[in-house]
Amino acid sequence: MERGAMLAVCVLCWSGTVCVVTAIQRTDMFPYGSLSGDQILAEGDDETSRVLSLPRPVYFYDSLFSQLYVATNGIISGQDLPMEKQYVDDGFPTDFPVVAPFLADIDTSGGRGQIYYRVTETPSVLNRVAQEVHRGFPDAKFTPTHAVVATWENVAAYEEPTRTNGPSNKVNTFQAVIGYDETDSYVLFLYPEGGLNFFATRPKESYNVEIELPARVGFSRGEVTYLIFSRTEGPYYSATSDEQSVKNLYQVGNTGIPGVWLFHTGNRYSFDNIVPASIGGQLNTPPTGGHGLSLDTTTPEYSEFEEYEDNNFDGDNQEEEDDYPHTGGDPDFQPATAGGDHSAPVQPASPDAPSSPAEDSGHRDVPLTSEPRYNPEPAERRYSNPNPSERVPEGRAERTQEQQPQLPLEVVDVYPPHRNEPNLSPGGHVVSVDEDDIDFDTGVIQYTTENKETCARFQQHCSQNGFCSDYATGYCCHCRPGFYGNGRHCLPDGAPQRVSGKVTGTVTVGSTPVEMNNIDLHAYIVVGDGRAYTAISEVPEPVGWALMPLAPIGELFGWLFALELPKSQAGFKITGAEFTRRAEVIFYPGNQRLSIIQTGRGLDDHNHLTVDTVLSGDVPFLPPGSEVTMDPFKETYQYYPSVATSTSVREFSVVSAEKGSESFSFQLKQNITYRDCRHDNRATVPETLQITMERVFVMYVKDERILRYAITNKISPVGVEPAGPDQVNPCYSGSHDCDTTAQCLPQEGQAFQCQCATGYRGDGRNCYDIDECAEGLSSCGAHAQCMNLAGSHRCQCQSGYEFGFDGRTCVDIDECSSSPCHVSARCINGLGSFQCQCQPGFYGDGFQCSQEEAETGRPRSQCEHHRDSLQSGGEAGRPSVGAFIPQCDSDGRYRTLQCHGSTGHCWCVDSRGQERTGTRTLPGTAPFECDRPDEPERPKTHCQHHRDGVQTTSPEGYPVVGAYVAQCDASGQYISLQCHGSTGHCWCVDSRGQERAGTRTSPGAPPTDCDKPGEKGTFHITANMKASNNSPQTQAITGSTSTGTLYWTDWNREAPKIESASVDGQNRKVVVSDGIGLPNALTYDSSSSQVCWADAGTKRLECVSPDGSNRRVVHPSLNYPFSMVYYRNHFYYTDWRRDGVIAVNKDSSQIMDEFLPDQRSHLYGIAIATTQCLSGSH
């Protein structure tokens, strides 16, 4: 039975009765023990655990702690504990931070109990913590990212050895769970039924006085600093006051379940003292002695809390205070609703107990984004029916189904629907809003069955690479196999993606506003491994430095096209190319706020995504020349109909010459709204997904005024942790060697297959674009032109035609419907054109007609009418931006050569201005001689189609970065020797361009003589070394000047090895031959007198002594190293998978830095250049 179902053994009660629940059992505690991954505290009377490092720091009160300690005596602390004599016999407060589920003198010596502890990100634990918090604090917006679980099982009290009556058999079992996220922490104390059998312990220095000290339960902040050098007691909270209140711990609770206690224990922004939960619950048998629960606290009352000006509620700025969206509550547990029938009260411990906060507050407004401060235990606390009937406003029908939230296009928090409306805690306010009273405009298309939309009418809304499907309530678009997207916009699987757009807005740096006016943004994403590069050009210097921490600008593209791990999908499959992202960034400690609005406006003519960005607000000033470092991090996205949201806190470091190293942080809240088709019953996106950003690099290039972001992104289900490099398939780790225009298909174990992306052809490691237009593979119909794109193609209707309802068939435009002719002329529509003829009795060209046969001056011609109508057809009488304006000669006729000023395309036209087929030329190419009679054009050869299909896939006419471009001779035939400019490989081909087996040579090696099939070139090591009959296929060479020794790698695939010899060619020997794959890179470490190599086959960086001894692995999982140098305790190597330079620390084996050039290409050699001349004589 699920815990939620087991604990919710509530008896349905009528008004005037007490709702009772059973206490928790040991099986209801959070999982613990060795099988749960717990560490075990050493036995003893005063033991403290080794430091428990937290993956993410936790807020306790308003202070941040990155490590915890678990102690024998029933406490958890944020710092190493003193000897127990300094605290175990004293009450609160303590001198150090304490979380105390049962602070007493406990002793586990002699096997009397065990103490377990761990930090965990297990989803089941986090979900349960979230449920407990949302039940105890219905208004909380909390999604835990980590939890610390500490369990004391069957532990005994300390007893003096001199006592004659022998050790007691009384043992206790209890548990503490700390759940936290980036901003808040909550603590659960769990006391199972029968778990507490002793409630006090004897002080160690009792001087034979028979007294016992009750256990202390609660929290203490410890000493705090004031006036720099002075210290004073910090705030504390005590949940018990005497032995009887300790006995009550498992018999009552503040969450509605006896034995379960919940407290809000920390917040990033403002936190005065501990806040307990406020839901009651008691056992079937009330505790004897007439004692209720007595709580001591220093928590302020409502009235005191509300005096702070910062907490006054401002309806206009409510959205700025929103915090995390939370997950849905446990359906088996629902908090008691306000206004329901009340049960008999439990008597307070003291008649002077404070009154209810709701009464004291006088119904004053309380900030809705802050949790109310509670009195510890209201005197009139009542236990109400946990499932009262919902009160339905008069005149409104009761809702029987859950309603999905509709969100406005702004930074908002989203809440999953609840089965019952939870009550607010005392002092809170419930605002009832009916959906009929509000019109939510989310930009999402809404469908109704009364006006059903079908594919027959609307399939033109689907992508040309998609298809339309009808459903009971409407239609949906889906992408065809080989393409991905939301059906309205589809891109070829596996192909790199480009993004372009403009950045506008005003950003205030410090106190200086800086305006950005339509500056360019470009991004390039390698979909195959999730790398996203973003560059913003012409960024003014003050704002350029200040925007370096704003990696979230480029993170959008990483989320859209992230590398997908199993059971996940990147954002573009959900949003397509039309969306709006609204984000707010709040910097700390300065509290500057910046708004980011990014709007996806679709795909352009080249299938590139267009995104416009608007920035507005304040950012902290960063000194010129600063360097910003951001650590890898994870972020959880929550998905709802038509919107995805996330909230996170990021930390970054700034190093400057003025201030040295400083640490800052910012909070990011964002939502992304998009079109959502709800008619399809297919599986929907998971409720939550986690994006892991493994590498984040930011820089501002002052000389070029370019701001750059580079981020590696992976998306996966929440809680999926990356395994070691030996366990992750290369497709998921990004360490495969597939082409950037290929998909990596994982297979069993470490195996994978490279498959060229949709619309590309090749072996997966070298792919080139297929020209569907040239090869007759397009889907274009009559009166349409085919335009080849990278991985795809686009159909464009010829002049005078437009797409019909199906979005694919070109139909004639009835130009006459717009009345282009003179009022005294008639319009005659034709296929692809029209004519204007003056009516009888009128004279002219149809665009201008008059009754006079001869006029002074020439009437305007068709070309001039055409031109003038377009020049004045836009707003304010100006031409529309980007519109084509025809050019007329002095006689008013169409110029035979027409050029589009915006696109750069040129073409020839006839006397009516209609384009002559086959005359259009691309930007940057020589136009046709339109006045020369038509000549039969020689058709392109296969090689020319192959070459041009790659060279014309970008808007600038450049080939796709890293793609192989075929080389053709003057007659259009394949040159027999083909070389890949990016990889350096060369090979021979036949007349069809097919590679001849056995002719491929590696980078740096002499190419094969293609006129002599089968013969392979050799490379001889020189430098006074004698050539031999078995000269190696050398890939890399280095030397030691101190010993006069040369080292080289032999790239022989059958027997690769590393050899050495003296510079005169003598003493040649093998240094290492075992475990060698593709030893591309080689360097000499003079500090350790070792030769080191980077292997693209084994993926390892290794070092070995010249005699073959002391071999060690420096780094076990490189990508594709090619060249390497050693300098000042670091190895620097060029990586052909990342197309950058990677730095590895020799001692720690960690990757320390990475340089990724903006222009992506394979880097060959690498060398060290010192800033000063090397010492020594020459």
Side-chain angles (χ1 to χ4, degrees):
M1 181 183 295
E2 294 290 336
R3 175 182 175 275
M6 179 168 54
L7 291 185
V9 187
C10 262
V11 180
L12 184 61
C13 306
W14 299 99
S15 176
T17 63
V18 178
C19 180
V20 293
V21 295
T22 61
I24 65 169
Q25 307 300 310
R26 293 202 184 196
T27 55
D28 301 327
M29 298 169 65
F30 283 75
Y32 65 91
S34 300
L35 295 179
S36 297
D38 280 340
Q39 301 181 59
I40 303 177
L41 186 63
E43 294 181 1
D45 174 37
D46 183 20
E47 298 295 330
T48 302
S49 71
R50 291 178 294 180
V51 60
L52 183 63
S53 298
L54 304 179
R56 175 176 290 165
V58 59
Y59 278 95
F60 183 54
Y61 286 84
D62 57 356
S63 298
L64 201 60
F65 293 89
S66 59
Q67 55 190 29
L68 296 177
Y69 298 85
V70 178
T72 303
N73 294 320
I75 58 175
I76 304 171
S77 178
Q79 68 184 53
D80 203 358
L81 278 69
M83 295 180 61
E84 66 173 14
K85 290 183 179 180
Q86 299 182 31
Y87 69 89
V88 74
D89 294 337
D90 297 330
F92 286 145
T94 56
D95 297 338
F96 53 94
V98 162
V99 174
F102 196 91
L103 171 53
D105 193 358
I106 295 174
D107 186 3
T108 60
S109 302
R112 295 195 299 169
Q114 295 277 13
I115 301 172
Y116 304 93
Y117 61 95
R118 75 181 184 277
V119 59
T120 180
E121 300 177 47
T122 304
S124 60
V125 172
L126 299 182
N127 289 338
R128 181 171 165 189
V129 171
Q131 291 175 4
E132 300 284 3
V133 171
H134 297 149
R135 185 165 60 251
F137 294 93
D139 301 328
K141 306 175 184 72
F142 176 66
T143 303
T145 59
H146 299 81
V148 176
V149 182
T151 309
W152 287 258
E153 182 185 42
N154 296 331
V155 295
Y158 171 80
E159 296 178 354
E160 298 178 15
T162 57
R163 293 177 66 91
T164 58
N165 54 356
S168 170
N169 292 324
K170 296 180 179 180
V171 292
N172 286 355
T173 296
F174 53 91
Q175 191 175 62
V177 180
I178 305 173
Y180 65 97
D181 61 11
E182 294 90 343
T183 56
D184 290 273
S185 67
Y186 292 83
V187 172
L188 281 161
F189 291 160
L190 292 91
Y191 306 96
E193 185 175 15
L196 297 183
N197 297 291
F198 66 90
F199 312 100
T201 55
R202 288 171 53 85
K204 277 189 164 62
E205 297 178 354
S206 59
Y207 303 102
N208 295 321
V209 178
E210 293 293 331
I211 63 171
E212 288 189 336
L213 301 176
R216 278 77 71 206
V217 177
F219 309 87
S220 178
R221 169 60 185 86
E223 289 186 343
V224 294
T225 303
Y226 75 100
L227 297 178
I228 303 178
F229 300 108
S230 302
R231 299 182 67 82
T232 186
E233 291 180 351
Y236 66 95
Y237 179 97
S238 180
T240 57
S241 59
D242 53 25
E243 186 169 337
Q244 183 59 49
S245 61
V246 177
K247 293 179 180 179
N248 290 342
L249 287 173
Y250 82 93
Q251 297 174 327
V252 291
N254 66 358
T255 63
I257 304 172
V260 180
W261 297 82
L262 174 65
F263 307 88
H264 187 188
T265 55
N267 180 268
R268 179 189 183 97
Y269 308 113
S270 176
F271 198 83
D272 298 319
N273 209 338
I274 305 301
V275 181
S278 59
I279 301 176
Q282 69 178 111
L283 287 173
N284 291 324
T285 304
T288 59
H291 291 278
L293 183 62
S294 174
L295 299 173
D296 299 326
T297 181
T298 58
T299 304
E301 304 283 341
Y302 266 122
S303 56
E304 177 183 348
F305 172 74
E306 290 170 350
E307 290 175 1
Y308 294 108
E309 295 181 1
D310 291 342
N311 290 322
N312 291 336
F313 176 68
D314 182 358
D316 295 335
N317 298 321
Q318 180 180 358
E319 67 175 82
E320 296 181 354
E321 303 298 330
D322 288 341
D323 207 332
Y324 271 104
H326 60 70
T327 57
D330 187 342
D332 293 328
F333 289 103
Q334 295 297 336
T337 55
D341 295 331
H342 301 293
S343 63
V346 175
Q347 296 299 324
S350 168
D352 300 326
S355 60
S356 168
E359 298 171 0
D360 292 344
S361 67
H363 300 287
R364 294 170 56 188
D365 284 342
V366 177
L368 296 184
T369 56
S370 302
E371 291 178 3
R373 280 8 183 208
Y374 303 94
N375 283 324
E377 190 73 30
E380 297 300 322
R381 172 155 296 169
R382 301 175 184 273
Y383 299 88
S384 56
N385 180 5
N387 292 296
S389 301
E390 294 189 10
R391 300 179 63 181
V392 182
E394 186 176 351
R396 300 288 187 189
E398 182 175 359
R399 294 177 186 169
T400 59
Q401 296 181 352
E402 299 176 5
Q403 301 292 332
Q404 296 288 349
Q406 298 293 324
L407 300 169
L409 291 177
E410 56 188 24
V411 178
V412 295
D413 290 325
V414 189
Y415 306 90
H418 293 279
R419 286 192 169 92
N420 296 304
E421 290 293 329
N423 68 306
L424 283 173
S425 300
H429 297 266
V430 177
V431 180
S432 178
V433 181
D434 192 85
E435 290 183 3
D436 297 336
D437 300 329
I438 294 182
D439 179 19
F440 288 107
D441 181 11
T442 66
V444 179
I445 294 180
Q446 303 294 332
Y447 300 90
T448 63
T449 55
E450 292 137 1
N451 186 20
K452 179 180 175 182
E453 298 174 342
T454 63
C455 292
R457 297 172 53 207
F458 294 98
Q459 64 175 328
Q460 72 271 18
H461 291 165
C462 300
S463 168
Q464 289 188 356
N465 296 313
F467 61 93
C468 185
S469 297
D470 282 316
Y471 297 94
T473 57
Y475 76 93
C476 285
C477 299
H478 306 288
C479 293
R480 291 193 288 108
F483 295 84
Y484 69 98
N486 67 345
R488 290 177 175 266
H489 306 99
C490 300
L491 294 172
D493 281 335
Q497 182 59 33
R498 294 180 184 270
V499 181
S500 61
K502 298 292 184 180
V503 180
T504 59
T506 301
V507 176
T508 301
V509 183
S511 59
T512 305
V514 180
E515 184 175 354
M516 292 175 288
N517 186 16
N518 282 334
I519 59 179
D520 290 326
L521 179 149
H522 295 282
Y524 179 80
I525 304 96
V526 183
V527 179
D529 54 19
R531 285 177 289 152
Y533 304 96
T534 304
I536 306 175
S537 58
E538 297 302 322
V539 183
E541 184 175 350
V543 77
W545 301 110
L547 288 182
M548 284 195 295
L550 264 297
I553 296 175
E555 288 170 12
L556 170 67
F557 313 128
W559 174 75
L560 287 170
F561 303 104
L563 175 63
E564 297 175 343
L565 273 61
K567 299 181 180 179
S568 64
Q569 54 183 326
F572 189 82
K573 292 184 177 179
I574 305 167
T575 67
E578 294 178 350
F579 53 83
T580 298
R581 179 218 195 188
R582 295 179 182 266
E584 183 183 47
V585 180
I586 306 175
F587 291 89
Y588 300 102
N591 205 40
Q592 298 91 346
R593 293 172 181 253
L594 181 74
S595 167
I596 304 173
I597 301 177
Q598 293 178 290
T599 305
R601 304 199 182 277
L603 301 175
D604 64 13
D605 290 345
H606 301 275
N607 263 356
H608 298 169
L609 177 62
T610 301
V611 176
D612 289 334
T613 302
V614 179
L615 305 178
S616 61
D618 302 330
V619 294
F621 171 81
L622 295 187
S626 298
E627 295 182 359
V628 173
T629 302
M630 306 186 77
D631 292 332
F633 62 92
K634 300 174 184 176
E635 186 167 7
T636 298
Y637 280 76
Q638 298 189 350
Y639 296 85
Y640 306 89
S642 305
V643 67
T645 72
S646 76
T647 304
S648 61
V649 173
R650 317 279 180 79
E651 297 182 351
F652 61 95
S653 300
V654 178
V655 179
S656 64
E658 299 178 7
K659 299 183 179 180
S661 179
E662 300 176 282
S663 295
F664 301 93
S665 64
F666 62 79
Q667 182 188 43
L668 171 69
K669 299 191 294 183
Q670 65 174 333
N671 67 36
I672 304 169
T673 53
Y674 51 90
R675 295 175 181 268
D676 184 28
C677 191
R678 307 179 186 180
H679 310 304
D680 184 8
N681 293 324
R682 299 184 181 187
T684 58
V685 64
E687 292 182 0
T688 58
L689 287 174
Q690 170 182 284
I691 190 162
T692 302
M693 303 183 193
E694 296 181 338
R695 295 182 179 90
V696 182
F697 295 97
V698 300
M699 65 184 300
Y700 176 66
V701 184
K702 174 183 176 181
D703 296 337
E704 301 176 8
R705 300 211 306 171
I706 295 180
L707 180 63
R708 302 183 187 278
Y709 305 108
I711 309 172
T712 300
N713 311 271
K714 297 179 181 178
I715 195 164
S716 65
V718 176
V720 172
E721 296 297 328
D726 295 337
Q727 303 174 13
V728 179
N729 189 282
C731 292
Y732 300 136
S733 65
S735 60
H736 58 83
D737 58 352
C738 302
D739 196 354
T740 56
T741 55
Q743 290 180 280
C744 181
L745 305 178
Q747 298 179 341
E748 186 175 355
Q750 295 290 295
F752 64 92
Q753 178 184 356
C754 296
Q755 176 178 296
C756 288
T758 301
Y760 290 83
R761 183 179 293 136
D763 62 1
R765 288 172 170 80
N766 293 288
C767 303
Y768 59 89
D769 177 62
I770 299 173
D771 188 342
E772 294 87 354
C773 302
E775 298 187 18
L777 303 176
S778 76
S779 58
C780 302
H783 309 297
Q785 291 177 314
C786 177
M787 293 186 63
N788 188 53
L789 303 174
S792 182
H793 68 283
R794 186 171 63 88
C795 300
Q796 177 176 308
C797 290
Q798 296 173 351
S799 177
Y801 293 86
E802 63 183 357
F803 284 117
F805 282 115
D806 62 0
R808 290 167 174 78
T809 303
C810 293
V811 298
D812 174 64
I813 299 174
D814 185 2
E815 293 89 350
C816 294
S817 62
S818 61
S819 302
C821 304
H822 191 268
V823 293
S824 299
R826 68 189 184 101
C827 181
I828 304 173
N829 186 58
L831 290 178
S833 64
F834 68 100
Q835 287 183 328
C836 293
Q837 293 181 355
C838 292
Q839 295 177 0
F842 290 83
Y843 303 92
D845 61 359
F847 294 97
Q848 187 70 31
C849 300
S850 66
Q851 292 181 322
E852 298 181 7
E853 184 173 357
E855 291 182 308
T856 57
R858 177 180 59 82
R860 288 194 302 170
S861 66
Q862 177 181 348
C863 178
E864 290 167 334
H865 278 293
H866 187 184
R867 176 195 64 196
D868 297 344
S869 65
L870 292 173
Q871 285 182 330
S872 60
E875 296 181 1
R878 299 188 182 93
S880 301
V881 177
F884 164 67
I885 306 296
Q887 298 98 52
C888 311
D889 62 17
S890 58
D891 295 328
R893 293 187 295 264
Y894 285 98
R895 293 184 182 272
T896 55
L897 177 65
Q898 298 285 323
C899 291
H900 195 310
S902 296
T903 67
H905 289 268
C906 294
W907 60 92
C908 300
V909 298
D910 58 20
S911 60
R912 297 175 301 149
Q914 300 300 307
E915 180 177 349
R916 287 164 50 187
T917 304
T919 61
R920 183 177 290 262
T921 56
L922 297 172
T925 59
F928 274 80
E929 295 183 21
C930 299
D931 295 330
R932 190 175 62 184
D934 291 340
E935 296 179 1
E937 181 184 0
R938 180 173 62 86
K940 286 185 179 182
T941 64
H942 187 275
C943 181
Q944 290 169 331
H945 278 303
H946 185 174
R947 176 196 63 196
D948 297 344
V950 177
Q951 288 185 324
T952 60
T953 51
S954 73
E956 302 84 4
Y958 299 131
V960 175
V961 177
Y964 158 65
V965 180
Q967 297 103 55
C968 312
D969 61 19
S971 62
Q973 303 305 312
Y974 284 98
I975 296 175
S976 58
L977 177 65
Q978 298 284 320
C979 292
H980 194 312
S982 296
T983 67
H985 288 273
C986 294
W987 60 93
C988 299
V989 299
D990 57 21
S991 60
R992 297 172 300 135
Q994 299 299 310
E995 180 176 349
R996 286 162 47 187
T999 61
R1000 182 178 289 261
T1001 56
S1002 59
T1008 302
D1009 184 352
C1010 297
D1011 295 331
K1012 298 179 180 180
E1015 181 177 325
K1016 298 186 68 176
T1018 58
F1019 183 90
H1020 296 266
I1021 295 177
T1022 58
N1024 297 328
M1025 178 180 177
K1026 294 181 179 179
S1028 61
N1029 293 331
N1030 58 343
S1031 296
Q1033 297 182 26
T1034 305
Q1035 173 64 22
I1037 185 170
T1038 190
S1040 168
T1041 57
S1042 60
T1043 62
T1045 305
L1046 290 175
Y1047 301 91
W1048 66 91
T1049 63
D1050 186 346
W1051 219 56
N1052 186 331
R1053 294 289 184 118
E1054 297 179 357
K1057 54 187 175 291
I1058 298 175
E1059 296 184 80
S1060 68
S1062 57
V1063 294
D1064 60 2
Q1066 304 297 320
N1067 303 318
R1068 180 175 177 177
K1069 64 177 182 179
V1070 175
V1071 179
V1072 60
S1073 59
D1074 295 334
I1076 302 294
L1078 301 176
N1080 283 345
L1082 188 70
T1083 189
Y1084 187 77
D1085 175 8
S1086 58
S1087 64
S1088 63
S1089 299
Q1090 286 192 313
V1091 61
C1092 304
W1093 71 97
D1095 196 313
T1098 65
K1099 310 295 185 184
R1100 293 195 296 264
L1101 193 165
E1102 300 184 70
C1103 292
V1104 70
S1105 298
D1107 61 0
S1109 63
N1110 301 319
R1111 181 173 177 178
R1112 74 182 188 95
V1113 176
V1114 177
H1115 198 283
S1117 57
L1118 307 180
N1119 284 318
Y1120 197 99
F1122 189 80
S1123 181
M1124 181 172 65
V1125 293
Y1126 175 81
Y1127 183 69
R1128 289 187 177 179
N1129 212 43
H1130 288 80
F1131 294 99
Y1132 299 87
Y1133 72 90
T1134 60
D1135 190 304
W1136 276 19
R1137 279 296 306 145
R1138 299 194 60 75
D1139 287 336
V1141 177
I1142 315 297
V1144 178
N1145 184 281
K1146 183 179 74 171
D1147 297 329
S1148 67
S1149 300
Q1150 299 297 313
I1151 293 178
M1152 307 302 296
D1153 202 356
E1154 181 179 52
F1155 171 71
L1156 303 174
D1158 181 52
Q1159 182 62 41
R1160 187 175 184 274
S1161 62
H1162 287 340
L1163 303 180
Y1164 285 80
I1166 184 172
I1168 296 294
T1170 59
T1171 57
Q1172 298 176 344
C1173 294
L1174 299 175
S1175 60
S1177 59
H1178 302 281

